[in-house]
Structures are given as C-alpha cells and as structure tokens.
C-alpha cells in the first residue's frame, strides 16, 4: 500500500503517525506506571496483614508462640499461616501448590514470592522473633487476580481509547486540511480558466493569508509569463506576415505578368530575376525565424527588467552626451512583458526628447501595478504647451518647433506605436514642472 496520492491524505497520515507515536508512548508509560502502582499496593497489603497478625503473636522464653486473638479475627485469619518453627499451627484452606509455597517460606526470615497457578497470589513471610532468634513465621497471602484484571482492563481500555482518538484525529485532520487547501484548489482552477481564455485578471497579494499570498504571486507570475509568450508569438507572427507579404506579392505580380501574354527574352529574364530575388528574400526571412527558434534561451521571450534597460540607456547617454543632465533610475524591480530590445526602442525617443529640454535632471521611474507596469520619463524642462497636449504624439508634430533642436517629430509617435503594439500605451501625464511621459506595459 503506497502513500496517499493527495496532499490532504498525506498530511492527515503524517498527523496520524505523529499522534500515534506519542499516544503509544504515553499509553505504555501509563500502563507501566499503573502496573507498578498495583504491585506496590498488593505488596503493601500483604505486608500490612502479616504485620497485623504478627502483632497478636507473643514469643515465650521456651520458644513457644502464644497468640492473643482479638474478639473478631475472622477477616484477619483469611489467607494467614502461622508456623511454630517449621510446623504450621494455623493454616487456611488453600490449594496444595499454595500450601507448598507457604511451607517453603517458613523459617527463612523475611521474604516474599508470587505464584501463578492455578491463581496468582503474593505471599509474604514475616519472622516472629524471641530476642535475636526466630521462633516462628507469619505468612500472609493476597490474591493478584483482581490487580491483574484491573491492569488488563485498563490496558484494553487505553488501546480502545487510542484507536478512537486516532480515528477522530485522522478524520478531523483530513477535514481541516481539506478546508485549508480549498482556496488553493479554487485558485488553481481559476488560474487554469484565466490562462485558457487569455484574461488579464490576476490574483494579487491583497486579502490573502501569507502562504496564499505567496502562491497568488507565483500564479500571477506564471500567468504573466504565459501572456508574455503569447504576445511574443503574436508579434512574431504579425512581423513574419508583414515581411513575407511584400516578396510574395512581388512573385505573384511577376508570375501574372509573365503569363498574361508572350514576353521577349529580356522581359522574361528581368521577371525571373525579380522572382528569384523575392524568393531569396523569403528564404532569408524563414532562416531568420528558424535561427531565432534554435538559439532561443530558456528565458521566457518578451520579458525584461525595466531598471536594467533604463540604467543601460542612462550609461549610454552619459557617454554619448556628457554635457547633458544625468539620467537617474528609480523603481521597485518591475518586470515588463516585452523584450529588452523593444523596451529600449520605446524609451530611447523619450530620453532623447527629455535630454533636449531638461535643465538639471532626467528621471526614469518604474512601478509595478496589478497586471501591468508603469514607466515614467520625467524632465524639468519647459514641458509641453497646453495648446499642443496629446497632439505631440502626431507624426511630424513638435511641441517647440523653433527651439533649435534637431528632430522630425517622429520619436514620440514611434514610441507610442511600439507601446500599443505590445499591449500598452504611452500618454502625457500632467505635471507642474517639466514633462512627464508615462508608458504602461503588461507585466512579465
């Protein structure tokens, strides 16, 4: 029989095994201690009875024993032997085996012994002394069957109680663990449903216990990575379709042109060369795709650490433009669901724009949000005039056309197009000082 297949069963079995060990140890200790106490009680009883009878004995100088019997000594004489030397002068009605054992104890000083057949007895011999000489012996007996019955009954009761206790603990543990793991099962089913339908919903860490918050974070990361992979494949498919469309259209057009009517040798050669060039272009595109598939690492495609990309751009800016304001990078370790190359292509126009107008500082801020990442490029320049506003994202439109800086007004529109193609957006956020452009991207 193997281990249970469910976590609930294994936890319940572990709790049962642990409890069983402790209960077995405690039960054994209790029954051993109880047995010792019962043996001590039997020993004390038989010693007390022997001492009580010996107190009624008087040793004469000539070695005779005189018994001073109390008024009612019927109960006292039960199970009592009185020996004058080795001769029994008083004996109870007892089996031959018990009688033989009592006879052996007479005249041997203080001693005790147990018998087991046909019934269990404890015998105790107390000497009757005349000065320093033993002249007689009082042997008392007590039945041990009642004590042993009590010990066996308690042992059986302890075992029964242990079985009931362990059964209850197993059932309670399974129930408690099942209820404790129910949110995990629900979260797993929900994550499976969300991943199947491609929803952007996430669990988040708020409102969960610490363990479940960690699980929720891990599930959110898995969903984010799956979404990043899906976006990467969709983007790759779209780019492949776009790249293949032109050479395929050229091949189709040349083929139609050749078959429309007879052509001379030069026309056919020109068409053949165009078809061959288009086919070669398609082959290069396919080889590029296969090369990327072969060289792709184990990392999830379309993910990058925003701060790492921003710091690389900041270092490049300080090397290429040493006189420009420095670029500071702050954030909380956000990971965006786009590749590092794409993140660089989005941030580069924003940093170029900020460098043109910044006076003392340029800051790149990144922040994680539920289901997404916000990246802000902030400068302390003159800002975007209210009359221009969101029109700054129109191709060819510049906020300050007479500022003497180079630029065709295509950087911001390109950054917005790339951000939107990746499932995000680029907006101009209101600020009291300078300009603040905010890029929202899916998390990775």
């Amino acid at each position: 029989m193997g281990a249970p297949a469910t976590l609930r069963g294994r936890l319940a079995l572990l709790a049962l095994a642990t409890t069983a060990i402790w209960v077995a140890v405690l039960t054994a200790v209790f029954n051993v201690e109880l047995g010792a106490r019962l043996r001590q009680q039997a020993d004390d009883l038989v010693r007390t009875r022997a001492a009580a009878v010996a107190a009624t004995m008087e040793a004469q100088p000539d070695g005779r024993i005189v018994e001073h019997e109390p008024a009612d000594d019927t109960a006292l004489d039960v199970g009592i032997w009185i020996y004058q030397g080795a001769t029994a002068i008083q004996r109870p009605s007892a089996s031959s085996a018990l009688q033989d054992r009592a006879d052996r104890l007479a005249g041997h000083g203080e001693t005790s012994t147990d018998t087991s057949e046909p019934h269990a007895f404890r015998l105790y011999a107390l000497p009757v002394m005349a000065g320093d000489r033993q002249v007689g012996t009082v042997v008392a007996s007590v039945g041990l069957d009642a004590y042993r019955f009590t010990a066996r009954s308690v042992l059986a009761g302890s075992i029964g109680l242990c079985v009931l206790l362990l059964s209850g603990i197993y059932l309670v543990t399974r129930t408690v663990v099942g209820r404790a793991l129910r949110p995990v099962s629900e979260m797993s089913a929900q994550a499976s449903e969300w991943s199947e339908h491609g929803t952007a919903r996430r669990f988040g860490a708020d409102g969960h216990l610490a363990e479940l918050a960690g699980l929720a974070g891990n599930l959110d990361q898995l969903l984010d990575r799956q979404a990043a992979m899906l976006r990467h494949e969709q983007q790759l498919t779209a780019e492949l379709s776009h790249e293949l469309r032109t050479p395929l259209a050229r091949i189709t057009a040349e083929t139609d042109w050749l078959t429309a009517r007879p052509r001379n040798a030069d026309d056919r050669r020109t068409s053949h060369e165009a078809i061959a060039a288009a086919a070669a272009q398609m082959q290069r595109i396919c080889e590029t795709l296969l090369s990327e598939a072969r060289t792709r690492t184990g990392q999830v495609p379309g993910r990058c650490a925003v701060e790492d990309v921003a710091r690389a751009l900041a270092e490049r800016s300080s090397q290429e433009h040493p006189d420009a304001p420095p670029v500071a990078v702050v954030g909380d370790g956000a990971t965006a669901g786009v590749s590092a190359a794409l993140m660089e292509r989005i941030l580069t126009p924003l940093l170029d724009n900020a460098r043109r107008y910044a006076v003392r500082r340029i800051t790149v801020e990144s922040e994680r949000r539920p289901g997404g990442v916000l990246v802000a490029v902030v400068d302390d320049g003159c800002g975007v005039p209210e009359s221009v506003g969101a029109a700054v994202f129109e191709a060819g439109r510049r906020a300050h056309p007479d500022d003497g800086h180079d630029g065709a007004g295509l950087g911001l529109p390109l950054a917005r197009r790339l951000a939107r193609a990746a499932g995000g957006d680029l907006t101009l956020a209101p600020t009291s000082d300078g300009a603040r452009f905010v890029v929202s991207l899916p998390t990775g």
Side-chain angles (χ1 to χ4, degrees):
M1 180 178 179
T6 62
L7 178 60
R8 181 179 67 173
R10 294 191 177 188
L11 289 176
L13 185 60
L14 177 62
L16 178 65
T18 304
T19 306
I21 293 174
W22 280 107
V23 169
V25 171
L26 294 176
T27 301
V29 171
F30 172 76
N31 281 276
V32 169
E33 181 66 21
L34 177 64
R37 292 292 182 88
L38 291 175
R39 287 192 297 272
Q40 183 64 39
Q41 288 182 4
D43 193 59
D44 292 342
L45 177 60
V46 73
R47 288 173 179 270
T48 301
R49 294 189 62 199
V53 173
T56 66
M57 301 290 104
E58 181 181 356
Q60 299 296 322
D62 58 359
R64 291 184 304 103
I65 298 176
V66 177
E67 181 181 5
H68 302 284
E69 295 185 359
D72 186 5
D73 64 344
T74 303
L76 188 62
D77 290 339
V78 175
I80 296 295
W81 288 262
I82 300 176
Y83 290 86
Q84 176 76 49
T87 303
I89 60 176
Q90 177 179 319
R91 65 177 63 186
S93 176
S95 65
S96 59
L98 189 59
Q99 181 64 50
D100 291 342
R101 188 64 60 87
D103 292 341
R104 293 196 199 104
L105 295 179
H108 290 82
E110 183 179 0
T111 184
S112 63
T113 186
D114 290 344
T115 64
S116 57
E117 292 182 3
H119 298 285
F121 285 90
R122 173 160 297 174
L123 286 81
Y124 172 72
L126 181 64
V128 179
M129 308 296 295
D132 57 355
R133 183 168 59 95
Q134 181 177 355
V135 296
T137 306
V138 176
V139 178
S141 68
V142 64
L144 298 179
D145 290 344
Y147 294 95
R148 295 184 178 182
F149 176 77
T150 301
R152 288 194 296 268
S153 299
V154 171
L155 178 61
S158 300
I159 294 175
L161 181 61
C162 290
V163 172
L164 292 177
L165 178 63
L166 294 176
S167 300
I169 288 177
Y170 182 74
L171 295 177
V172 170
T173 303
R174 280 185 61 90
T175 302
V176 172
V177 172
R179 291 183 179 179
L181 293 178
R182 186 177 303 165
V184 178
S185 301
E186 294 175 353
M187 291 174 66
S188 177
Q190 203 167 27
S192 177
E193 180 182 356
W194 288 350
S195 63
E196 181 178 355
H197 295 86
T199 179
R201 296 179 62 187
R202 297 293 184 267
F203 295 102
D206 298 335
H208 297 292
L209 297 176
E211 294 81 0
L212 294 181
L215 176 61
N218 293 334
L219 290 177
D220 286 346
Q221 289 183 6
L222 290 175
L223 291 172
D224 292 337
R225 292 177 183 178
Q226 186 179 36
M229 294 180 65
L230 182 60
R231 287 192 301 270
H232 174 81
E233 299 300 332
Q234 290 174 342
Q235 183 179 4
L236 187 62
T237 302
E239 291 178 356
L240 180 63
S241 300
H242 176 75
E243 295 294 335
L244 290 177
R245 187 180 296 116
T246 299
L248 183 60
R250 181 67 182 275
I251 292 174
T252 303
E254 293 293 341
T255 303
D256 292 342
W257 187 76
L258 283 174
T259 58
R261 58 186 179 85
R263 305 291 177 181
N264 57 37
D266 293 337
D267 291 338
R268 288 196 301 272
R269 184 173 59 255
T270 302
S271 294
H272 291 163
E273 292 175 352
I275 292 173
Q281 183 179 1
M282 293 180 65
Q283 183 179 5
R284 288 193 299 272
I285 294 172
C286 293
E287 289 177 350
T288 301
L289 177 62
L290 293 176
S291 177
E292 179 187 0
R294 284 193 296 267
T295 58
R296 181 180 298 171
T297 63
Q299 297 178 348
V300 178
R303 296 181 71 237
C304 70
V306 178
E307 294 178 42
D308 292 345
V309 176
R311 289 194 181 97
L313 292 175
E315 183 177 355
R316 184 193 306 173
S317 176
S318 64
Q319 294 174 356
E320 297 177 354
H321 307 278
D323 298 332
V327 178
V329 179
V330 296
D332 56 1
T335 301
V338 297
S339 64
L342 181 58
M343 176 62 72
E344 182 177 336
R345 291 173 64 187
I346 294 174
L347 292 181
T348 297
L350 300 179
L351 290 173
D352 291 341
N353 184 76
R355 190 174 55 251
R356 292 191 183 100
Y357 301 104
V359 178
R360 292 179 302 276
R361 59 178 174 81
I362 301 172
T363 305
V364 179
E365 305 170 353
S366 60
E367 180 184 1
R368 285 178 290 189
R369 294 289 181 85
V373 176
L374 295 183
V375 184
V377 178
V378 187
D379 66 76
D380 60 349
C382 56
V384 179
E386 294 183 3
S387 58
V388 178
V392 75
F393 295 108
E394 296 177 1
R397 183 67 179 270
R398 295 183 56 186
H400 303 280
D402 301 327
D403 54 12
H405 290 290
D406 296 333
L410 298 177
L412 294 179
L414 174 63
R416 169 176 271 191
R417 184 179 70 83
L418 292 175
R420 288 181 173 178
D425 200 358
L426 171 59
T427 59
L428 175 65
T431 180
S432 59
D433 182 19
R436 181 183 182 88
F437 291 91
V438 180
V439 183
S440 61
L441 293 171
T443 189

